[in-house]
Amino acid sequence: MALSAFNLMIRTVKHEREFSVECAYQASKVFERGGPFVDLLNVKSIDAKRDPRLNQNGRLTNFRFFGVDWDLLPRTAFYDWLYINALHKRPELAEQVLMYRAFSDIAFNPQRSINCQAYAAALYVSLYERGLMTDEVLKNQQAYLSVINTGVVSNAHEDTQVQKPSYLTEPSERRLAPTCRAFRLLARTRSNHLLD
């Protein structure tokens, strides 16, 4: 539960604020006719996610987080950046995450969302293990984007391959199939493959 975007808190030193990853994500949305709704930083995560303004102001155009604009592409880049920053500031949780190489998110529904906490956790592990979890990557949007945009990524939303049940496949074809296939990401940046 502590790794849920509803519970994982972002602490900002510069602005002296604390809010959940979910609130930060929802509060940063900019639409054709409104937003960002920064007051959502001050509400419960569930209330931020369900705020009616998020569905009443037209198409989502970008994100704006403390004055920095983020494009919609790469699709999950902004959410993942929020999540890995929050996780990195919680060493006790980050240490636990770094013990694993595969993650799943039982609440993830690819029909309703593109963001996946398991994917973000897997990205954190991948960046950390390859020595790319630097202050510059955590703080600088362009540095972060240059690291995550260096290879093909198969994230949970984009993976549309239908799998046969394991009893119908040859042993050599079998693989894990969690709800969110975050472990397949594992981020094909540079020439280093953490998990293949």
Side-chain angles (χ1 to χ4, degrees), residues 73-77 123 127 141-153 187-190:
L73 296 174
R75 293 182 77 180
T76 66
L123 178 60
L127 294 174
Q141 179 189 55
Q142 291 309 313
Y144 166 73
L145 292 174
S146 71
V147 167
I148 66 163
N149 278 333
T150 56
V152 176
V153 174
R188 302 202 159 143
T189 58
R190 309 269 188 253

Side-chain angles (χ1 to χ4, degrees), residues 5 15 26 43 51 57 74 85 92 108 125 135 143 155 196:
H15 301 283
Q26 300 302 339
V43 301
D51 190 285
N57 286 285
N85 267 276
E92 73 284 2
F108 179 73
V125 171
D135 284 342
N155 75 11
D196 281 330

Side-chain angles (χ1 to χ4, degrees), residues 36-107:
F37 304 112
V38 294
D39 59 299
L40 296 179
L41 293 174
N42 303 316
V43 301
K44 293 179 183 176
S45 296
I46 191 70
D47 295 332
K49 186 175 179 96
R50 293 181 179 166
D51 190 285
R53 295 173 294 176
L54 301 176
N55 297 312
Q56 298 171 344
N57 286 285
R59 189 178 56 85
L60 182 64
T61 60
N62 64 289
F63 299 95
R64 185 171 300 132
F65 187 66
F66 289 107
V68 177
D69 285 346
W70 289 75
D71 291 333
L72 298 180
L73 296 174
R75 293 182 77 180
T76 66
F78 176 64
Y79 178 89
D80 296 337
W81 179 82
L82 288 172
Y83 192 93
I84 66 173
N85 267 276
L87 181 57
H88 195 70
K89 291 179 181 180
R90 298 284 309 274
E92 73 284 2
L93 293 176
E95 286 177 25
Q96 290 177 30
V97 166
L98 291 169
M99 293 171 43
Y100 297 93
R101 295 297 178 266
F103 303 87
S104 68
D105 183 342
I106 62 172

Side-chain angles (χ1 to χ4, degrees), residues 75 105-116 155-160 178-181:
R75 293 182 77 180
D105 183 342
I106 62 172
F108 179 73
N109 180 347
Q111 278 87 38
R112 300 193 64 192
S113 179
I114 62 168
N115 299 307
C116 178
N155 75 11
H157 185 73
E158 294 168 340
D159 191 353
T160 58
T179 306
C180 174
R181 280 198 224 125

